[in-house]
Amino acid sequence: MKNWKMIFVVSLLVLSQILAACAPAATPTQAPEPAATEAPAEPTAIPTATTPPEPVDIVLWAQATVTEASAPPDDWVAYQIIRDELNINLTYAIIPTGADGEAKLNAAAAANDLPDLFQIVSASNDSRGALLRIVDLGLVAPVEELMPLMPERTNLHYNDPLAIDLVTFNGHQYGFPEPPPIPKREGLVIRKDWLDKLGLAVPTTPEELLAVAVAFTEQDPDGNGQNDTYGLGGFLNQQGLGTRFDFIMGAYGVPGVWNFADPANFGLNVRSEQFPEALAFFKSLVDAKVIDPDWPTLTRDDFRARWKQGSYGIMWEDFAALTNKSNYEPFDTNFPDGEWIPVASPKGPNGDAYYGVYTGRGQIFAVSQTAADAGKGEAIAKLLEWMATDGYYLLGFGEEGKNFIIDANGNISTEGLDPLEAYTAPERQPFTQMRNQLIFYNSEQEIAARYPDYKTLNGRDMLPMTFLSFFQNEPWVDGRGIQVILPPANAADFDRFYTEGLIKFVLGQEELNDDTWAAYLAGLDALGAADYEAAAKQALTDAGLLK
Amino acid sequence: MTVKILPSIAPSTEKFTFKKLLRSMWRQRWLYFLMAPTLIYFLVFKYGPLWNAQIAFKDFKPLLGVMGSPWVGFKHFETFINSFYFADLMTNTIIFSVAKLLLGLPIAVICAIALHETWFLRFRTFVQTMIYLPHFLSWVIMFGVLLVILSPGNGLLNAIIERFGGEPIPFLTSPDHFRWVVILSDIWKETGWSTILYLAALLAISPDLYEAAAVDGATPLQRIWYISLPGILPVIVLVTLLRMGHILEAGFNQIFVLYSVPVYSVGDILDTWVYRQGVLQFQFSLATAVGFFKGAIGLGLILISNRIAKRLAQQSIY
Amino acid sequence: MLHTKTRDAVIFQIGLASFLTLILLIILVPFWRVIVTAFIPLDIYTREGVPFFLSPTRWSFEAFKQLLGHSMFPRAAWNSVVITLLGTAISVILTVPLAYGLSTRNLPGRKLIMTLVLFTYLFSPGLIPVYLLITGMELTNNYLAIILPPAVSVYNTLVMMSFFEGLPEELKDAARIDGANELQVLLHIILPLSRPILLTIGLFYAVFFWNEFFTPILYLNDNDLLPLPVLLRNILISASFNEYVEYDAFSSSSLESLKAAGVLITMIPMLLIYPWIQRYFTKGTLVGGVKE
């Protein structure tokens, strides 16, 4: 017995040593900078680099396009090409999305251990704000001198002067603003089959919307004899009532948090007289019980599961999440006769009609100061340029003739290819992980490849692009200025008060009348609303966004 | 045989000398050697980061490092103590923590005793294995389960309520009910896991005691009251004291998944607030400061509880 | 053990059995729902959500196939095993001596050590300070970064200490009289008698390391090193980001099923280990230890 124990303990120790030694060596990271005695006042310019004889090591952190697929294998042909043609040893690490990715980036920043080229991750989708914070810490290198080194890429990706302005601080450009995902891609849709069954017309005003929603909820539009349908479905996100219900607020002229629609009177939308009216209308929807009562607590995934189960008649959804083949299929299977059509934004009592607020937020990539100091700037520029030119198809789709072909119309297609090798196959996903982050720039060819037309189960044509163009033609508020508005110091408290107050009114936890509304506004002021608005206005004016 | 965490040491009748101390240490040198690796570990991996944690009192700048960043004293503490919702957050945090302890621990002990006492051994093994399973469910999954049970639209519970003529209750979004949802669901999930510990403690009680009791003709309840409970009292007190020390940990993972805006007033705790405030901004120092604050409160509570435990139960950590 | 079948005792047993059955039902009923969710075919799920009872003939293994058949699953599972074994071994080896030392009543400096240990329990430094230490030691992308910071849990140490305290001093004295030093006393007398607590604490550590998901994300950059919880989470996130990924979605089962199946898969090793450990949880481990 005693021998057995000793042997067990000793072998555990030995095993642990072996296993620890077997753990792969740390990826080459920069050694932390020796503590400087003061923060640098002017950012150090990138030293002119001569081509080094040895390959330059570049570490790239970016999110994955398909999180469940792995990173490309070590023997990926692109790594080889990059080494041979560009003299760069690329290490590509995938970072998570959302709060976890932001925590990882924060931690690396705190340790002054940021990688050479990295993507800014922000759980609240405020990449510019996150970038500014690490710029202030002196951890990011200015990159305006790199732009001329990548003419093609600048032409395709960085051709929006506003986007460049937004990442320029103190006269220096600090990031590469990748093109945002297709703009204005969300919109209002309604179940046409339910309208037909109940003999109703598409609603055009908030009142009509309420009437239709009531009918959908109470008159069993799917004809299954059960009381399981709701007129409206949605969920909460971000501030206030969120973007999913902005079309309602927009009918009263107050979509979103900030009043971008009326620059002369710029401020928080809650100051407008129409806001309590909009709120009262929303409350009437809640009181009529036409919204799925779980709406304040649902997540986006729950919400999507529910419309696929046929619970909702009217909803706000992303065009691809609704109409793209793989997303539509579960719904189609259960409701082959189910049909969604896009709806124009309802017109409120004062004639206002806004679909929503377009923020234009995209992804930003940055170069760490340590990389710049090590003279890697030119190599990074070369890499990015290659990704936009020779490497475009390779990193975006694969090898021509093997993973994709270009057909007679110039569109990308997989006809005639081995299904396992097609770029759409799960096996190929690891090889195109960078496409949404660094490669695609919303070209027509890309969009046609991503959102092809198809036929539904009962033979109907489904054309995602028609939904998209419908949505894009609706009246959106240009809210891109929101990117320059920095959150106040007490952001958590302010946001909670703002959102919680509105929700309380809407849910009836607090009665909505002139006095309570005035008290709500006073509460916001007590938390610094006036200063927040003034600072926002100043930032917008400085950026030339307030016309 | 009484079992104690720490018996009171009778005052020594011999004079204390340094020489005696050294001799005592030498006699027990093996113990020091054994503990040495662990103590070194503590120094490096527990106290090392605590040294870095001084950034709670500094305006941390990565380029300047921990040592080079400037002192700001209690500024971060003031920021969050003076924040608008501080009182709310503290109230919610403490209510959740205390309620989970006061309700959860007795239930776990009762289950452990019940399992220990039952004659049906196969049944006991089966129940034992089943009741700790919920511990492995993530709160994300639990949210789905709770939504099905508690949803006002088509939840099971509300269906029953409606059958009896009542109005459906939105349990998850109602400030009047949310706290109970949190507390009861946590108890459901974690009680089974806690019984493992108490069961192990019960098994350590010498069966001689039980046999002696049987000879004396004790009823089962008497057996439990006079043998089982005192036997596991040290563990119960220890667990309670330790949980007092972490009183401000109210279960971030659970609350983060279950809460939503309508119940912020009763559901928002320190950790969720820090999450929103800290993740939104690169507030390295704030999160660390909150950690210190929690520690300070926990320390105070543990000292108080320790004294109470000493008086009531003759058990203590010190 | 003699079960004297007095009337009282029998009534008591019946009461116990009913109580335990009630507890079992309360636990199992919602849990059953999770199991059904894992097996529900996509068409039934989208039609009516998760029904309470699903005939086993209609059970679909799609969610499990998707997770277990994922190309990275074997690698991730193996990584989890390595982290768990390594972590548990290191943690237990470090915890036992400290717990034993603290349980020795007359050890000089015991109070001091106890204070130092308790202090770290109360004051937890948080994410950034630990990260700074790990990067300073150049341990990024190494399993030790995940294992070492949480390796010794003060809670577990004190619980173990409490158990050691409960062992009769006579045993140790008997061994010492026979000429054993402290190390031998620990190894030959104390540890064999402490099986229940050693296994329990080992189980606690094992479960902790098996479920670790945030620190791997934070410290590991190599995809090959990621453990199972991270992979499962990536699969779930992937299934929900489907407006930006336009190709044929990976998921042919619903998101809910994937979540449930993921949890069950993670649970299975723990399910197997505990009953195996239970064999060692015998009553009265002190029987025959000391001749009175």
Side-chain angles (χ1 to χ4, degrees), chain A residues 16 65 67-68 70-71 96 100 104 107 185 300-301 304 309 318 324 327 334 423 435-436 450-451, chain C residues 45-46 70 72 86 131 217-218 220-221 223 233-235 238 240 242-247 250 255:
Chain A
S16 55
T65 300
T67 44
E68 64 166 311
S70 62
D100 295 328
K104 188 171 171 118
R185 48 186 294 160
R300 189 185 59 181
D301 296 328
R304 289 202 167 139
Q309 285 166 358
D318 176 280
N324 217 35
N327 296 329
N334 289 326
Y423 72 95
R435 63 186 190 261
N436 274 355
R450 289 149 98 183
Y451 308 116
Chain C
Y45 177 74
T46 39
H70 195 278
M72 295 212 303
L86 195 55
Y131 189 87
I217 282 186
L218 196 60
L220 300 178
N221 293 328
N223 255 91
R233 190 173 173 286
N234 282 346
I235 295 179
S238 199
S240 72
N242 42 18
E243 70 249 33
Y244 294 115
V245 183
E246 304 79 17
Y247 306 135
F250 276 68
L255 191 57

Side-chain angles (χ1 to χ4, degrees), chain A residues 130-192:
Chain A
L131 173 67
L132 181 57
R133 281 188 291 274
I134 41 175
V135 166
D136 279 343
L137 292 173
L139 301 170
V140 181
V143 295
E144 63 263 11
E145 303 196 3
L146 297 182
M147 300 291 276
L149 297 178
M150 16 182 213
E152 266 304 299
R153 189 178 182 88
T154 308
N155 194 22
L156 294 172
H157 289 236
Y158 312 132
N159 49 26
D160 182 2
L162 176 62
I164 306 254
D165 268 349
L166 287 173
V167 294
T168 303
F169 311 109
N170 302 330
H172 291 277
Q173 178 186 345
Y174 281 101
F176 299 116
E178 294 298 321
I182 303 174
K184 306 173 189 172
R185 48 186 294 160
E186 300 183 6
L188 192 59
V189 291
I190 197 169
R191 287 286 297 267
K192 178 167 189 300

Side-chain angles (χ1 to χ4, degrees), chain A residues 319-389:
Chain A
F319 89 100
L322 173 67
T323 62
N324 217 35
K325 185 152 190 270
S326 47
N327 296 329
Y328 190 73
E329 213 173 299
F331 176 80
D332 203 18
T333 319
N334 289 326
F335 306 101
D337 294 325
E339 190 183 348
W340 294 92
I341 53 171
V343 177
S345 54
K347 216 174 229 169
N350 299 337
D352 291 308
Y354 292 109
Y355 226 28
V357 181
Y358 165 61
T359 61
R361 286 184 159 136
Q363 327 204 54
I364 303 179
F365 276 80
V367 174
S368 71
Q369 186 64 50
T370 31
D373 292 339
K376 296 188 183 182
E378 194 181 302
I380 292 178
K382 263 199 301 185
L383 178 66
L384 288 173
E385 176 72 346
W386 176 83
M387 285 182 178
T389 52

Side-chain angles (χ1 to χ4, degrees), chain A residues 40-120:
Chain A
E42 263 289 300
T44 46
I46 297 174
T48 46
T50 55
T51 319
E54 289 186 1
V56 180
D57 289 324
I58 296 197
V59 177
L60 164 66
W61 278 13
Q63 289 179 357
T65 300
V66 180
T67 44
E68 64 166 311
S70 62
D74 288 331
D75 58 359
W76 185 28
V77 62
Y79 286 142
Q80 194 61 43
I81 296 180
I82 294 175
R83 200 169 355 219
D84 294 337
E85 293 185 20
L86 303 174
N87 205 25
I88 294 176
N89 249 344
L90 179 66
T91 310
Y92 165 48
I94 292 182
I95 52 176
T97 55
D100 295 328
E102 186 167 358
K104 188 171 171 118
L105 199 67
N106 280 10
N112 194 13
D113 200 19
L114 286 169
D116 303 318
L117 177 65
F118 59 97
Q119 176 177 357
I120 306 281

Side-chain angles (χ1 to χ4, degrees), chain A residues 273-305:
Chain A
E273 281 170 2
Q274 299 223 59
F275 202 96
E277 284 179 38
L279 214 55
F281 173 73
F282 195 100
K283 183 171 187 310
S284 67
L285 287 175
V286 175
D287 291 338
K289 298 201 193 326
V290 299
I291 312 184
D292 178 355
D294 290 326
W295 70 272
T297 189
L298 282 183
T299 63
R300 189 185 59 181
D301 296 328
D302 299 324
F303 160 77
R304 289 202 167 139

Side-chain angles (χ1 to χ4, degrees), chain B residues 1 3-7 9 21 24-25 27-28 30-32 34-35 37-39 41-42 44-50 52-53 55 60 66 107 110-111 113-120 123-138 140-141 144-145 148-149 156 188 192-193 196-197 199-201 203-208 210-211 214 219-221 223-224 234-235 238-239 241-243 245-246 284 288 291-292 294-296 298-299 302 317-318, chain C residues 1 3-6 8-10 12-13 16-17 19-21 23-24 26-28 30-31 33-34 52 93-95 97-98 100-102 104-111 113-125 128-130 132-134 137 139 147-155 157-159 161-163 165-166 168 181-183 186 196-197 200-201 203-204 207 211 256 259-260 263-264 267 270-272 274-275 278 281-287:
Chain B
M1 177 184 79
V3 182
K4 290 188 177 161
I5 299 177
L6 169 63
I9 298 180
L21 176 70
S24 180
M25 286 172 75
R27 227 183 310 129
Q28 312 203 1
W30 279 105
L31 280 179
Y32 293 111
L34 282 177
M35 292 200 289
T38 314
L39 292 176
Y41 163 85
F42 261 80
V44 174
F45 284 97
K46 304 284 188 198
Y47 280 94
L50 274 178
N52 283 338
I55 64 176
F60 178 62
V66 174
I107 295 182
I110 292 174
C111 284
I113 292 180
L115 284 170
H116 179 77
E117 288 286 328
T118 187
W119 290 345
F120 307 105
F123 181 55
R124 172 180 134 191
T125 315
F126 180 67
V127 175
Q128 244 179 289
T129 315
M130 289 294 121
I131 64 172
Y132 75 81
L133 288 182
H135 172 81
F136 294 101
L137 297 176
S138 71
V140 176
I141 300 243
V145 173
V148 164
I149 300 177
L156 293 174
W188 179 85
W193 187 253
I196 294 183
L197 186 62
L199 198 55
L203 287 170
I205 301 176
S206 163
D208 298 339
Y210 288 110
E211 279 168 17
T219 66
L221 286 175
R223 225 174 37 226
I224 295 176
V235 177
L238 178 66
V239 169
L241 285 178
L242 288 178
R243 284 181 75 158
H246 272 185
F284 308 123
T288 318
F292 266 116
K294 282 198 213 165
L299 175 65
I302 247 193
I317 294 188
Y318 273 96
Chain C
M1 178 159 166
H3 292 154
T4 38
K5 291 197 167 59
T6 65
D8 270 350
V10 169
F12 184 64
Q13 284 298 317
L16 273 183
F19 173 71
L20 286 174
T21 312
I23 298 279
L24 195 63
I26 294 179
I27 298 285
L28 282 188
F31 196 82
R33 196 165 186 290
V34 176
F52 187 63
I93 290 175
L94 285 177
T95 304
L98 183 63
Y100 182 61
L102 285 175
T104 309
R105 292 166 197 141
N106 51 7
L107 185 73
R110 175 202 161 152
K111 252 198 181 173
I113 298 177
M114 173 68 99
T115 314
L116 291 177
V117 165
L118 262 185
F119 189 79
T120 65
Y121 173 73
L122 293 169
F123 292 92
S124 169
I128 297 290
V130 176
L132 291 175
L133 178 75
I134 296 288
M137 296 174 75
L139 278 180
I147 291 174
L148 286 179
V152 177
S153 147
V154 175
Y155 182 91
T157 307
L158 293 183
V159 166
M161 176 194 81
S162 170
F163 273 75
E165 292 248 348
N181 63 30
E182 289 295 338
L183 178 61
L186 174 65
I197 192 59
T200 307
I201 299 295
L203 178 69
F204 286 172
V207 168
N211 287 330
E256 285 301 310
K259 281 190 216 168
V263 156
L264 291 179
M267 210 189 291
M270 296 303 136
L271 225 82
L272 298 175
Y274 186 65
Q278 274 181 334
F281 276 35
T282 47
K283 274 193 192 171
T285 46
L286 297 184
V287 172

Side-chain angles (χ1 to χ4, degrees), chain C residues 4-62:
Chain C
T4 38
K5 291 197 167 59
T6 65
R7 204 175 127 263
D8 270 350
V10 169
I11 295 181
F12 184 64
Q13 284 298 317
I14 296 178
L16 273 183
S18 336
F19 173 71
L20 286 174
T21 312
L22 179 65
I23 298 279
L24 195 63
L25 283 176
I26 294 179
I27 298 285
L28 282 188
V29 164
F31 196 82
W32 174 247
R33 196 165 186 290
V34 176
I35 296 181
V36 172
T37 310
F39 286 103
I40 194 164
L42 184 60
D43 52 345
I44 298 188
Y45 177 74
T46 39
R47 200 164 41 240
E48 49 183 277
V50 181
F52 187 63
F53 183 73
L54 187 65
S55 149
T57 52
R58 327 241 334 249
W59 280 19
S60 150
F61 288 85
E62 198 54 47

